[in-house]
Amino acid sequence: MSAVLGASLVLPGTPEPVTEVGFVEAYPGTAAAMRAAGPPYADWAADGRRFLAFDPRGDGRAVEVLGDLADADRIAVLVPGVGSTLADFDRGLGGVPRRAPSVQAGQLYGQVRSSDPTARVAVLAWLGYDPPDGLVGAASDADARRGATGLVRLLRELVARRPAATITVIGHSYGALVAALAVAHAPAQVTDLVSLGGVGAGVRRADDLRAGLRFWAAEAPSDWIRRVPPVRLAGLGHGRRPGDPAFGARPLPVDGVSGHDDYLATGTTTLIAVAAVVRGAGPVEDAR
């Protein structure tokens, strides 16, 4: 595939999950679409930021790439959760930068490169679906399943383009459910799944998801997600959280994490540990 995601993305209509990847072929087309959309998106293009996809319609879509994706042998894909929109992609929900997908991707990319300056790594901030707008909508997995369809296609295209690369998918909150549903059907090159304050995974236990997958989870003591009941009834709720020890995921350290949104903040042990997972650096405990 060498599809160029260009100016057609600014036409009116109902956006679908972003699923196409053209790697470097996509960058000029998305830059043109961003310039046509005006501020602040035109400023992103002027700054030389690279996007595989961009669509300002509705709540918007964006897939930003940090690093050289065409040469990467380690790829991380970050999936945000409830309330995430294109308008908040840079500024963060409620104007809080640490909640912004682009900021979190930058933190992770910086940590990986700091740990190993020679790492051939790319980090994608994937707002390729329409998350639910609030907690009521988040009680259903309907948006997660639609998002997972697009994410599976992205992962398959990444593998087609970089078959020797190892891929880690990282989901925050509701995004962890999207990530898990997608990884269940992803190629074997997707070796690691990371849940950060995840609401669920669509399975009862980590071992039920996919053979050979390493499933990691971080859930801080101060995270309100702990108050979400681990139930599923009449299509509502997501069952046991990945951060529940009974789920059986490999625990990640959470020192320095405060609340629901700090997992990838500078100075947290979670950020260091997730970077180690992306790098394939061995046991997380050794990477602190």
Side-chain angles (χ1 to χ4, degrees):
M1 179 188 297
S2 59
V4 176
L5 304 179
S8 63
L9 290 178
V10 301
L11 296 177
T14 302
E16 296 296 329
V18 173
T19 59
E20 294 184 284
V21 181
F23 281 31
V24 295
E25 300 98 320
Y27 298 148
T30 52
M34 293 162 74
R35 288 193 294 270
Y41 313 118
D43 299 328
W44 299 358
D47 289 340
R49 293 169 62 179
R50 295 172 295 180
F51 287 76
L52 290 179
F54 168 78
D55 188 341
R57 297 172 296 176
D59 284 339
R61 307 286 193 278
V63 182
E64 184 172 14
V65 178
L66 289 81
D68 185 357
L69 184 56
D71 190 50
D73 55 22
R74 298 278 176 177
I75 301 171
V77 181
L78 271 65
V79 184
V82 170
S84 298
T85 66
L86 181 60
D88 296 319
F89 189 80
D90 247 24
R91 70 188 182 192
L93 288 167
V96 181
R98 71 175 184 278
R99 305 175 75 184
S102 68
V103 172
Q104 293 176 355
Q107 296 279 63
L108 179 58
Y109 180 73
Q111 182 63 47
V112 172
R113 293 305 305 272
S114 175
S115 302
D116 181 3
T118 66
R120 293 163 55 190
V121 63
V123 176
L124 277 62
W126 189 80
L127 181 59
Y129 80 116
D130 187 13
D133 293 329
L135 295 181
V136 174
S140 166
D141 66 3
D143 291 323
R145 292 191 178 278
R146 283 190 287 269
T149 298
L151 183 54
V152 168
R153 292 175 182 169
L154 173 111
L155 295 172
R156 290 176 178 170
E157 180 62 19
L158 290 174
V159 169
R161 289 298 191 103
R162 299 294 300 165
T166 298
I167 301 173
T168 299
V169 182
I170 304 155
H172 174 248
S173 196
Y174 191 84
L177 178 61
V178 178
L181 293 173
V183 167
H185 303 284
Q189 288 89 337
V190 180
T191 59
D192 293 88
L193 172 63
V194 178
S195 168
L196 303 176
V199 69
V203 292
R204 289 180 58 84
R205 289 187 54 84
D207 291 344
D208 296 337
L209 193 60
R210 200 190 76 196
L213 178 74
R214 292 184 290 267
F215 197 140
W216 309 86
E219 187 176 271
S222 58
D223 190 340
W224 59 258
I225 203 75
R226 287 173 171 258
R227 299 196 295 272
V228 175
V231 298
R232 180 167 177 79
L233 181 65
L236 298 177
H238 307 296
R240 188 173 286 152
R241 301 183 316 279
D244 184 336
F247 182 78
R250 304 182 184 204
L252 292 171
V254 292
D255 299 334
V257 176
S258 177
H260 188 59
D261 300 302
D262 277 0
Y263 291 98
L264 296 179
T266 299
T268 65
T269 55
T270 310
L271 174 62
I272 297 170
V274 173
V277 171
V278 172
R279 290 167 46 229
V284 170
E285 290 80 7
D286 296 341
R288 294 193 191 187

